[in-house]
Amino acid sequence: MSVAQMTRPTMNVTVQSSIGDGPAESAADRHRYDAHALRDLTSRIVQGYGLSTHDGDVVADVLSFADAHGIDSHGLQRFQLYDAQMGNKIDPTAQSEIVVDTPVSTVIDGHRRMGQLNGRQAMEMTIAKAKRTGMAIAAVRHSCHYGAAGYYANLAAEQGLIGFSVTNTEPAVYPLYANDVWLGTNPIACAIPTRPHTFFFDASTSVVAYGKVELYSKQRKDLPAAWVVDPNNQPIHDSTDALGRLMRYDNEAGLLATGGNSEYTGGHKGYGFSVLVEFFSGIVSQGATTDRTAVGDPVEGISHGFMAIDPRIFGDADTILRNFSEYLDQIRALHAVPGKRIYVHGDKEAEAYEDRMTNGVPLYHKTVAELRGICDRLGISYAGVLDH
């Protein structure tokens, strides 16, 4: 037994028992639902846990952003997780506390309030400070899953600023050559206002987001590459088996860092990016790093990081952003591999937004069944929204 195994704390986790239930689902066969109606229903569900209308709207805004922009792993797909954690890892009555407040920095203790509420508060404070000082940074401790990291970066871009956001998570990823799950999927997001739409980069530092494994399990599709490995560094391709092992938190399996399970493929790079996320979330907030997020009673919780930069600190903002827009267009115009198209980060999200706001948001039957079950238990009507 390794030192890491001997000192590993016991994780306080909630495991869903519905893994593998129901028939396989194809992404192409998903029914579409009105985006505005889904957002309203999401807010009402959150209010059903005792939160205010304002807080319900904030959570709904974050989840709707993900679904509307094609980030399926972080929209309503995630609500089963929040429901399972409500009253345990999530305290619906919690209020945040500002523990550091300077002209350029903020640290917030989230006290297990819903991550979307902590994230929105931190980013709004960061944006306001960046407008006054040119740039600002914030960190949050003792929080919960906050949805898509790109949502918070995009808040800054909508106001003409450059936005960044990172977060650690609960343990899911092996450090390169380790067989102890220790790191989170730890996404990094950046949004920059450009034409014809925002440059939008939002990616986990693991080879794939945890939610993607869940989506493949719902479709009964094998994982297409070495996304999840066992403690012997061997790939697990059965998505439902992989998800079940991941959710037991007992080192049966872990996601790989971006770059995979070897230095030859760049696994050390994703591993390094993930550690940087830990610094700018769990360390600077003086909260929990990923290996501690699920520990304790109540649990320590997740940590987030945020930054906003006013491009005017570099000179003429219009020129800077125009030059970047032209540069991205040059990339789009490069010769493409036959049968492929060259995308710039944000292109797919912009196309998904146009499609889904017009034609509706596609949801898996299992996700719809989960939402209906939550609504029934909370006494919330989904008539006219999730009827199909």
Side-chain angles (χ1 to χ4, degrees), residues 12-96:
N12 179 4
V13 297
T14 300
V15 178
Q16 292 171 245
S17 61
S18 58
I19 299 173
D21 291 350
E25 299 187 49
S26 166
D29 292 336
R30 292 176 293 176
H31 185 79
R32 287 181 177 251
Y33 300 85
D34 181 78
H36 299 290
L38 283 177
R39 186 187 182 284
D40 175 71
L41 176 62
T42 303
S43 178
R44 289 190 286 117
I45 293 174
V46 175
Q47 293 172 54
Y49 296 113
L51 283 79
S52 68
T53 300
H54 171 271
D55 288 353
D57 288 346
V58 169
V59 175
D61 197 42
V62 180
L63 298 182
S64 297
F65 175 90
D67 279 328
H69 288 84
I71 311 171
D72 295 333
S73 58
H74 283 70
L76 288 174
Q77 151 78 14
R78 292 257 60 83
F79 219 97
Q80 183 77 355
L81 171 70
Y82 303 144
D83 182 67
Q85 294 183 348
M86 196 65 63
N88 175 18
K89 295 180 180 180
I90 299 172
D91 181 355
T93 67
Q95 298 296 315
S96 64

Side-chain angles (χ1 to χ4, degrees), residues 166-169 173-176 178 180 182-188 203-206 256-258 267-285 288-291 303 305:
V166 300
T167 185
N168 62 17
T169 71
V173 179
Y174 287 129
L176 184 62
D180 291 295
W182 197 257
L183 298 168
T185 55
N186 292 12
I188 299 173
S204 65
T205 54
S206 54
L256 290 171
T258 296
H268 60 293
K269 298 178 182 179
Y271 168 31
F273 292 147
S274 185
V275 172
L276 287 176
V277 170
E278 295 289 352
F279 179 80
F280 284 105
S281 56
I283 297 296
V284 299
S285 71
T289 49
T290 284
D291 56 293
S303 304

Side-chain angles (χ1 to χ4, degrees), residues 342-365:
I342 298 172
Y343 288 93
V344 164
H345 301 86
D347 288 351
K348 289 185 177 181
E349 289 80 3
E351 291 180 358
Y353 182 82
E354 183 177 353
D355 169 54
R356 294 180 177 201
M357 295 306 290
T358 301
N359 301 311
V361 172
L363 295 177
Y364 287 98
H365 299 304

Side-chain angles (χ1 to χ4, degrees), residues 18-335:
S18 58
I19 299 173
D21 291 350
E25 299 187 49
S26 166
D29 292 336
R30 292 176 293 176
H31 185 79
R32 287 181 177 251
Y33 300 85
D34 181 78
H36 299 290
L38 283 177
R39 186 187 182 284
D40 175 71
L41 176 62
T42 303
S43 178
R44 289 190 286 117
I45 293 174
V46 175
Q47 293 172 54
Y49 296 113
L51 283 79
S52 68
T53 300
H54 171 271
D55 288 353
D57 288 346
V58 169
V59 175
D61 197 42
V62 180
L63 298 182
S64 297
F65 175 90
D67 279 328
H69 288 84
I71 311 171
D72 295 333
S73 58
H74 283 70
L76 288 174
Q77 151 78 14
R78 292 257 60 83
F79 219 97
Q80 183 77 355
L81 171 70
Y82 303 144
D83 182 67
Q85 294 183 348
M86 196 65 63
N88 175 18
K89 295 180 180 180
I90 299 172
D91 181 355
T93 67
Q95 298 296 315
S96 64
E97 176 187 1
I98 299 172
V99 293
V100 174
D101 189 9
T102 79
V104 296
S105 64
T106 308
V107 175
I108 294 173
D109 191 319
H111 292 300
R112 293 188 298 121
R113 187 171 64 152
M114 287 198 78
Q116 290 85 354
L117 305 178
N118 292 325
R120 178 73 171 260
Q121 178 188 7
M123 197 57 178
E124 286 181 342
M125 292 183 69
T126 303
I127 290 168
K129 291 180 179 183
K131 288 181 176 180
R132 293 193 296 268
T133 66
M135 62 185 300
I137 192 165
V140 175
R141 67 192 186 216
H142 303 148
S143 188
C144 308
H145 189 282
Y146 75 164
Y151 169 84
Y152 306 97
N154 190 67
L155 288 177
E158 287 178 340
Q159 299 194 42
L161 306 178
I162 301 163
F164 289 90
S165 184
V166 300
T167 185
N168 62 17
T169 71
E170 292 189 0
V173 179
Y174 287 129
L176 184 62
Y177 301 140
N179 61 12
D180 291 295
V181 172
W182 197 257
L183 298 168
T185 55
N186 292 12
I188 299 173
C190 175
I192 304 172
T194 54
R195 293 186 299 271
H197 52 73
T198 299
F199 173 85
F200 181 85
F201 176 82
D202 182 359
S204 65
T205 54
S206 54
V207 71
V208 70
Y210 191 105
K212 283 287 184 67
V213 180
E214 292 179 322
L215 292 178
Y216 268 71
S217 179
K218 286 185 176 181
Q219 298 176 70
R220 298 294 187 275
K221 289 171 59 177
D222 282 349
L223 303 181
W227 290 0
V228 180
V229 298
D230 65 21
N232 295 316
N233 214 15
Q234 297 303 304
I236 302 169
H237 291 291
D238 184 311
S239 59
T240 299
D241 179 35
L243 181 60
R245 295 196 201 189
L246 287 171
M247 293 185 72
R248 285 191 284 272
Y249 288 90
D250 58 4
N251 276 340
E252 290 183 55
L255 290 161
L256 290 171
T258 296
N261 57 358
S262 167
E263 290 175 82
Y264 296 109
T265 58
H268 60 293
K269 298 178 182 179
Y271 168 31
F273 292 147
S274 185
V275 172
L276 287 176
V277 170
E278 295 289 352
F279 179 80
F280 284 105
S281 56
I283 297 296
V284 299
S285 71
Q286 299 172 67
T289 49
T290 284
D291 56 293
R292 301 289 301 174
T293 55
V295 173
D297 186 15
V299 295
E300 286 288 323
I302 291 165
S303 304
H304 321 303
F306 308 87
M307 183 166 61
I309 302 170
D310 188 336
R312 292 180 297 178
I313 66 175
F314 302 111
D316 183 72
D318 290 339
T319 299
I320 291 168
L321 298 179
R322 182 177 65 250
N323 289 347
F324 189 46
S325 297
E326 292 172 355
Y327 172 73
L328 297 179
D329 281 340
Q330 290 171 350
I331 294 176
R332 294 182 180 101
L334 294 172
H335 295 99

